[in-house]
Amino acid sequence: MNRSYEEFSTIVEALQKKQEFIFAQAMHSDISRQSIASILEELCIRISTIMDCDRVGIWLFDKGRKTLTEQTSFHRKYSTYTSEEVILEEELPSYFEAVQQERILAITDVSTDPATKEFKQHRLYEDGKVKSLIDASIILSNGIGGIVCCESTRKRDWTEFDKVIVASMADMLSLLFDRIDRIEVEKHVHQLTYIDQLTKLDNQYAFTEKVMKQIYEFKEGQQGIFIYLVKDQYNEVQGVLGPDGANETLKITADRLKKLFPSPAQTARLAFDHFVIFSPFEGELEDEIRRVERIINRLKRPMHIGGQEVYMTFSYGAAVYPEHATDVKYGIQTAYTALQSRTGEFTRKRGSLYKPEMHTNLKETMLSEMNLRKGLDLNEFRLHYQPQVNCRTGEVSGFEALIRWQHPERGLIFPAEFIELAESTGLITSIGEWVIKQAVTQICDWNEQGLQNATVSVNLSPRHFLHHNLPFYLDKCITEANIKPKSLVLEITENVALEDTKAVASRINLLREMGYSVSIDDFGKGYSAFIYLQHFPIQQIKIDRQFINELGNDAKSSGIVQTIIHLAEMLGLQTIGEGVETKQQWDLLKEFGCSELQGFYFSRPLPVNEIDELIRKYRRGGKLLLPSSFK
């Protein structure tokens, strides 16, 4: 194609203007692949006019240079655009090799050139309309990024000037796409630095920056509340649903938090199941706390994951800016301190507002926790066993294992002094496992001493009872001790009814199928006593000692005990009268039809060596009859 000097001058001037325009666009910080679509379309028209080509396309390689994806193509005959077409290397291997080896690929006859020998079988070229083409590589900082492809429906002998023009156009695109790549990398780095990748919430860095800016712009007298929020059953959910299911609960929680705490509130995920919120507010603090409690309650709505309904509860601590903290770091810290310091009424509400004395209390709790953990590690705990006797014959039918702490300085410490701490710090599960291990070992030992068919009851906390690992741990201990599951009775309190009813029923059913008996301790003490009988497949109930104490003195207590025993008989459940201290109480319970008894009338809780001594003295065959049973 011959061109006049005037045409050359016009083309060069147009190219220079286009280069200046593209350079200006590339310098914009908000430039993206979406925003340059119109620029690419206009550039294809310009190239088509300058090069006198019928189709001009801009194509980009994938990272492995195995595919070319069409960004945009202009079809001069129809004045239309296409995009998103994909060509695979396996479809046009010779062409892929050629465009990566040569800066400019100029082909006069597509039908005979080795680089395009597969074209006649490809859907884009099988009609044979394309006779000639000239391509230029788009060179990016990491190598060849794509091509500018100019196609003609008539044969062309491409000139050096044509090659210069198409190379110049490709260089413009190199600048543009390199800039976009750099911006995308910067955005990705920013996301990794400031965005939590799982939930897409801000992370702690972004949260800190945004809240610092917000606080800086506060007017005098403005307040904000920091909320440190955690899931209560995250580890258990992870054990049941697996990592993917647990992650799904985190994403659902994050989405709900974004909706429940809209701007100007700031929400972030710190780690695992820990979230933090900062919410500016006006008015009274009490009103804001009530608002937060309402919002947290709305988080408890069931989550649908993998075809299951998952129920979760949340706990939180709150601190107020500027009353409790004057910067973001201390605001998060004080809210977390409030979370860790929940006691009494706050524990039942699962929320707590920061108070200055919490730091001191938390420090003391941490020291106590360290002491408790040390006691477990150094095997300072002991089990004492209180006999349970057959109400009719007085023979020992089993024992309740009761934990004691043999402290090196304070002596024997009863569970009332350390169980609450163990529950609040999570050590209750480790302690519970220790109790189970000791109890099954003791059952095995007593079996070898000739005491047959005696059971041992162990108390389990709600957290331990619903822990995903409990069934496996029980099975392991029973197998190692070579005893039967029916030898171990698992006692739970009525507090378990405050947990997920479906989960509790499911766990009791599983344990029952495994051969264990589940007993309800302190039955009748709480509001939910008869919920157990209606919903849970338990095998035994222990009548609370407050009713036993008044037997013979209070007609109402006698009526309640008699009703519980009668109801248990109808349901096929065993009953244990707890806290029996007199012969009169025994006689009445025997008259009412109680199954078993336990209390100081028969024996206080005894260390193992004293139980062993009783077995040596009073065992007859495989049975044990205590001296008190002869009274």
Side-chain angles (χ1 to χ4, degrees), residues 21 62 119 130 139 152 155 203 261 358 373 441 445 452 461 486 529 535 543 551 570-571 587-588:
F21 173 74
D62 67 337
F119 270 32
V130 175
I139 310 297
S152 175
K155 286 187 179 179
N203 63 17
F261 289 97
M358 286 180 175
R373 191 180 297 275
T441 302
D445 187 46
Q452 303 296 322
S461 71
K486 67 178 183 179
H535 295 290
I543 304 168
L551 282 181
M570 291 175 60
L571 297 173
D587 290 339
L588 284 171

Side-chain angles (χ1 to χ4, degrees), residues 51-110:
M51 299 293 294
D52 190 23
C53 290
D54 299 290
R55 183 167 66 187
V56 176
I58 298 169
W59 299 72
L60 293 182
F61 280 114
D62 67 337
K63 287 184 179 180
R65 301 191 180 94
K66 301 296 183 182
T67 65
L68 276 169
T69 302
E70 181 186 37
Q71 305 305 297
T72 188
S73 290
F74 173 68
H75 304 259
R76 184 168 65 174
K77 181 178 179 179
Y78 307 106
S79 295
T80 58
Y81 300 94
T82 58
S83 61
E84 302 303 323
E85 187 68 60
V86 176
I87 301 175
L88 305 178
E89 181 187 34
E90 61 194 47
E91 297 173 333
L92 303 175
S94 303
Y95 178 71
F96 268 67
E97 182 181 357
V99 295
Q100 293 181 67
Q101 288 181 348
E102 301 181 39
R103 175 72 171 93
I104 305 295
L105 179 65
I107 297 177
T108 298
D109 189 348
V110 168

Side-chain angles (χ1 to χ4, degrees), residues 226-242:
F226 288 93
I227 304 161
Y228 198 112
L229 179 80
V230 297
K231 290 172 175 282
D232 292 325
Q233 305 93 353
Y234 181 68
N235 289 336
E236 286 76 4
V237 167
Q238 193 171 39
V240 174
L241 300 180

Side-chain angles (χ1 to χ4, degrees), residues 417-437:
E417 294 189 48
F418 61 83
I419 288 298
E420 185 177 348
L421 175 63
E423 288 177 339
S424 66
T425 58
L427 276 174
I428 192 67
T429 301
S430 297
I431 291 174
E433 289 181 346
W434 180 88
V435 169
I436 291 170
K437 180 69 173 175

Side-chain angles (χ1 to χ4, degrees), residues 498-509:
L498 300 176
E499 305 295 327
D500 184 345
T501 305
K502 290 182 179 179
V504 173
S506 175
R507 176 53 52 88
I508 294 176
N509 273 316

Side-chain angles (χ1 to χ4, degrees), residues 378-582:
L378 295 179
N379 201 29
E380 293 174 355
F381 290 98
R382 302 286 183 269
L383 286 186
H384 286 197
Y385 295 87
Q386 186 169 31
Q388 297 168 334
V389 303
N390 183 291
C391 187
R392 186 173 55 83
T393 65
E395 295 173 355
V396 172
S397 55
F399 302 87
E400 181 179 6
L402 299 164
I403 192 169
R404 305 287 188 261
W405 183 2
Q406 189 65 53
H407 196 279
E409 297 175 3
R410 296 177 55 192
L412 198 65
I413 301 177
F414 285 77
E417 294 189 48
F418 61 83
I419 288 298
E420 185 177 348
L421 175 63
E423 288 177 339
S424 66
T425 58
L427 276 174
I428 192 67
T429 301
S430 297
I431 291 174
E433 289 181 346
W434 180 88
V435 169
I436 291 170
K437 180 69 173 175
Q438 296 298 312
V440 298
T441 302
Q442 194 57 57
I443 293 170
C444 178
D445 187 46
W446 285 334
N447 284 345
E448 291 175 356
Q449 292 183 46
L451 188 63
Q452 303 296 322
N453 302 320
T455 62
V456 171
S457 302
V458 295
N459 294 277
L460 298 179
S461 71
R463 176 184 291 195
H464 192 190
F465 184 72
L466 291 175
H467 195 280
H468 69 277
N469 194 51
L470 176 64
F472 305 103
Y473 187 78
L474 285 168
D475 188 57
K476 174 177 177 289
C477 292
I478 288 291
T479 302
E480 289 177 354
N482 194 28
I483 64 172
K484 296 179 180 179
K486 67 178 183 179
S487 302
L488 189 68
V489 178
L490 308 175
E491 288 191 14
I492 54 177
T493 64
E494 292 186 14
N495 288 337
V496 178
L498 300 176
E499 305 295 327
D500 184 345
T501 305
K502 290 182 179 179
V504 173
S506 175
R507 176 53 52 88
I508 294 176
N509 273 316
L510 173 60
L511 294 172
R512 186 173 183 176
E513 289 171 6
M514 293 173 68
Y516 298 98
S517 293
V518 178
S519 174
I520 303 302
D521 197 12
D522 300 333
F523 187 83
K525 184 177 180 179
Y527 75 92
S528 58
F530 291 96
I531 291 178
Y532 281 99
L533 304 184
Q534 181 181 1
H535 295 290
F536 302 147
I538 56 175
Q539 290 83 45
Q540 186 185 81
I541 55 177
K542 295 183 73 172
I543 304 168
D544 186 68
R545 66 180 63 248
Q546 68 178 345
F547 302 118
I548 304 297
N549 288 342
E550 298 300 321
L551 282 181
N553 302 321
D554 179 58
K556 287 184 179 179
S557 292
S558 296
I560 290 172
V561 171
Q562 197 167 8
T563 299
I564 292 174
I565 293 172
H566 179 63
L567 184 59
E569 281 182 349
M570 291 175 60
L571 297 173
L573 305 179
Q574 285 187 313
T575 50
I576 296 183
E578 197 175 20
V580 176
E581 297 183 357
T582 68

Side-chain angles (χ1 to χ4, degrees), residues 36 41 153 187 189 207 277 328 351 371 383 443 445 576 592:
I36 65 168
E41 290 175 354
T153 57
K187 285 182 177 179
V189 171
F207 178 83
I277 303 106
V328 180
N371 211 355
L383 286 186
I443 293 170
D445 187 46
I576 296 183
F592 296 158

